[in-house]
Amino acid sequence: MLKFSSRLLLLSLAVGGSFSCSPTEKPLTFAIASDFHAQDVPDGGTRLEAFIDSAAARKVDFVIELGDFCRLDSASEPFRRIWARFPGDKYHVIGNHDMDAYDAETYVRGMGMPNRYYSFDKGDYHFVVLDGNNLFDGEKYTHYAHANYYGNAKQRAFIDPEQVEWLRDDLASTGKRCVIFSHQSLDRVVGNREEVRKVLEEENERAGFKKVVAAFSGHNHSNYTKTINGITYIQINSASYVWVDQPSGTERRYPEDINRKYTVLEYSITYDRPLFGIVTLTGDGLTLEGVEGAFLPPLPREVGLGDSLGPFPLVPWIRDVELRF
């Protein structure tokens, strides 16, 4: 677990082939976070600063956020400046709420992404960024744009056929071990998740070794790890809060002016610190160092909630993970 030391004031202002890498080679590290929703919480900039400062202090090889980051408008410019402070490579994943006010082309261009889905190499690893922000009505695929995904939940979060074929070819084109990033989880949320997982599993079988080792996702503001057919799926909690879809007692958490300005707080419970992780990859394994947080009171049980929201654990942390390949 990361020993978290941040400048987060947290509203003291507001609250009263064959794989060639060997274990002796230099480890590869990256910092990962998801669902900042930076413009929607009163300390969004401070949370992002803590992530970037920790990544820089650890001298990680790159940083990545798994979607629902911030808007492209002028009010969000401070968040993009904080992100740009990291001196190394920086990567984005498109989240569903990133499409609330934009189409994919506009967001990709505004964030400086190479495409809505893409891949890159670092050291002895190959990384794949997927885009699960497509509607499928049984006949055609339509990318999210300008909040068009509010509607039939069964039609949401699909990976389009063109992208599935690209993924198959992209994985086959490298002899490196592979790590997948997506906003929506491939174990539970993506609409055609079985099809996508089959591509990953078939590549491992074709390669003759555990080539695709892990898939990271966000979106659910939760934390868990699940292994399916030899591939580990790691759910990264939100950096900021959990949406509980009921009144959360936020009038006891923040003063009236804060709640009035940040309307998401009425149905959410924020964490007392930013949640993120530092991942280390070697020739024979992966470790994730997470941040142990707490809920800002009132706690879930104090507003009538249990320890989960449907299938997703209701927790204020990102737990450590250790995998051996």
Side-chain angles (χ1 to χ4, degrees):
M1 192 68 59
L2 287 171
K3 293 204 189 303
F4 183 78
S5 141
S6 105
R7 305 193 310 256
L8 189 68
L9 303 177
L10 251 172
L11 289 116
S12 53
L13 71 134
V15 179
S18 64
F19 183 56
S20 62
C21 180
S22 74
T24 59
E25 292 177 352
K26 180 181 181 296
L28 177 72
T29 59
F30 63 88
I32 187 168
S34 190
D35 297 87
F36 275 99
H37 293 268
Q39 70 281 339
D40 296 323
V41 292
D43 54 348
T46 308
R47 290 178 184 272
L48 183 54
E49 281 182 339
F51 173 64
I52 293 298
D53 290 349
S54 293
R58 289 288 293 267
K59 295 183 169 58
V60 300
D61 294 288
F62 67 90
V63 297
I64 186 165
E65 60 85 16
L66 298 182
D68 289 0
F69 177 48
C70 76
R71 299 193 184 103
L72 298 175
D73 56 22
S74 58
S76 290
E77 176 60 27
F79 307 130
R80 297 195 298 278
R81 285 200 300 267
I82 294 168
W83 178 261
R85 279 186 358 209
F86 180 71
D89 291 335
K90 299 169 280 290
Y91 300 97
H92 295 286
V93 178
I94 298 178
N96 58 303
H97 287 293
D98 297 326
M99 298 292 96
D100 281 350
Y102 312 103
D103 57 29
E105 182 180 354
T106 300
Y107 196 79
V108 163
R109 184 172 62 250
M111 287 297 178
M113 299 169 64
N115 195 10
R116 63 185 181 90
Y117 56 88
Y118 59 96
S119 63
F120 60 94
D121 289 343
K122 291 286 181 186
D124 288 284
Y125 279 83
H126 182 71
F127 299 93
V128 180
V129 171
L130 297 178
D131 172 20
N133 297 286
N134 294 279
L135 296 165
F136 179 54
D137 64 4
E139 295 183 2
K140 67 176 182 177
Y141 292 81
T142 304
H143 200 276
Y144 294 0
H146 304 285
N148 62 347
Y149 60 88
Y150 289 103
N152 188 340
K154 293 183 178 179
Q155 295 182 5
R156 297 180 197 157
F158 282 81
I159 293 178
D160 52 283
E162 173 188 295
Q163 187 178 175
V164 172
E165 286 310 304
W166 171 87
L167 173 64
R168 192 187 312 276
D169 293 343
D170 183 77
L171 293 174
S173 71
T174 181
K176 299 174 183 287
R177 278 208 164 107
C178 301
V179 173
I180 312 297
F181 300 115
S182 61
H183 182 62
Q184 299 90 344
S185 68
L186 298 178
D187 61 283
R188 195 179 289 273
V189 173
V190 165
N192 54 334
R193 53 192 175 275
E194 293 91 353
E195 176 189 13
V196 178
R197 291 202 307 263
K198 185 178 179 182
V199 171
L200 308 182
E201 293 161 11
E202 287 179 345
E203 181 57 25
N204 281 1
E205 184 177 355
R206 187 198 69 80
F209 69 103
K210 188 179 281 192
K211 182 176 180 180
V212 180
V213 295
F216 291 88
S217 62
H219 183 59
N220 294 309
H221 298 222
S222 183
N223 175 244
Y224 63 84
T225 300
K226 184 176 184 179
T227 299
I228 303 174
N229 295 331
I231 299 171
T232 300
Y233 297 84
I234 302 172
Q235 172 71 198
I236 296 294
N237 208 333
S238 165
S240 302
Y241 70 91
V242 57
W243 172 266
V244 297
D245 202 27
Q246 69 168 57
S248 69
T250 193
E251 67 278 2
R252 296 156 55 193
R253 193 173 294 116
Y254 300 110
E256 183 180 356
D257 60 328
I258 293 293
N259 284 315
R260 191 166 51 247
K261 182 175 181 180
Y262 300 96
T263 56
V264 73
L265 299 175
E266 182 178 0
Y267 298 96
S268 303
I269 303 177
T270 38
Y271 307 136
D272 70 340
R273 65 201 66 203
L275 305 185
F276 56 87
I278 303 291
V279 177
T280 301
L281 294 163
T282 64
D284 60 2
L286 173 156
T287 60
L288 165 65
E289 299 170 70
V291 170
E292 183 89 20
F295 292 112
L296 282 180
L299 305 179
R301 57 181 166 76
E302 296 177 281
V303 294
L305 293 166
D307 58 4
S308 65
L309 293 169
F312 303 109
L314 178 55
V315 294
W317 57 62
I318 295 173
R319 285 277 160 86
D320 293 353
V321 174
E322 184 171 356
L323 303 178
R324 298 265 79 70
F325 306 148

